[in-house]
Amino acid sequence: MRAARSPRPAGCRRGYDHYWFTLKDLDALVRRHRSRDSVNKAIDQTINADLGCFDDIGLLPVIADVAEGFYRVVDAAYEKRSLGVSSNTHPGGFDKLMLKAIATPTVDRTLHHAHVSQASGKLIRLIQAQSGKGTQPI
């Protein structure tokens, strides 16, 4: 049970098993398994991969099911598996995206032992679109 495949991060090109979630994917996973009371089992199967990636945290508000699912994955992977999180919101602001009661332990486990990389500048897709590169005429 894996979420949508990624555009092949470097570790995956080297043969590491991975999963790639957007919060929408995580929402679908939690909703699908909640009715069967198998959310923990689904998350345990998911974190068997070497690397987990969560993309675009902070673009949209996080509903309670997704916040719970994100916490469950982070907690299950804590000190066992590597997680990558991309966000346009600093982790200190996650309590603006989800309930503080869930945001605090999620961020605590995410940042403990973490390597944080902060990017700045223009987005590559925006630069390509503005310059006419990366697009094809219809």
Side-chain angles (χ1 to χ4, degrees):
M1 164 136 358
R2 297 283 187 253
R5 287 296 175 182
S6 71
R8 308 250 327 144
C12 303
R13 289 190 300 264
R14 292 187 191 107
Y16 292 101
D17 191 24
H18 70 288
Y19 56 91
W20 185 276
F21 277 112
T22 63
L23 291 183
K24 182 178 177 183
D25 299 326
L26 189 57
D27 181 34
L29 177 86
V30 170
R31 288 176 187 268
R32 184 171 55 247
H33 289 277
R34 175 157 286 145
S35 64
R36 295 186 303 239
D37 198 28
S38 60
V39 175
N40 286 335
K41 183 178 178 180
I43 287 172
D44 287 344
Q45 289 174 344
T46 299
I47 68 154
N48 280 330
D50 299 310
L51 172 65
C53 299
F54 289 91
D55 197 13
D56 293 338
I57 307 291
L59 292 179
L60 299 170
V62 180
I63 62 172
D65 281 346
V66 176
E68 177 191 342
F70 186 48
Y71 167 75
R72 285 178 181 239
V73 171
V74 167
D75 185 57
Y78 179 62
E79 294 192 329
K80 298 177 192 130
R81 299 285 185 243
S82 295
L83 294 177
V85 178
S86 74
S87 177
N88 63 344
T89 302
H90 187 278
F94 277 21
D95 61 344
K96 306 270 189 292
L97 303 172
M98 60 186 83
L99 291 173
K100 188 172 184 142
I102 293 177
T104 300
T106 301
V107 170
D108 176 63
R109 286 163 180 77
T110 302
L111 293 181
H112 189 228
H113 305 304
H115 298 278
V116 178
S117 176
Q118 187 170 351
S120 62
K122 289 188 176 181
L123 302 170
I124 188 69
R125 286 176 272 192
L126 179 60
I127 293 169
Q128 289 175 344
Q130 290 173 336
S131 67
K133 296 179 183 173
T135 60
Q136 294 180 9
I138 298 178

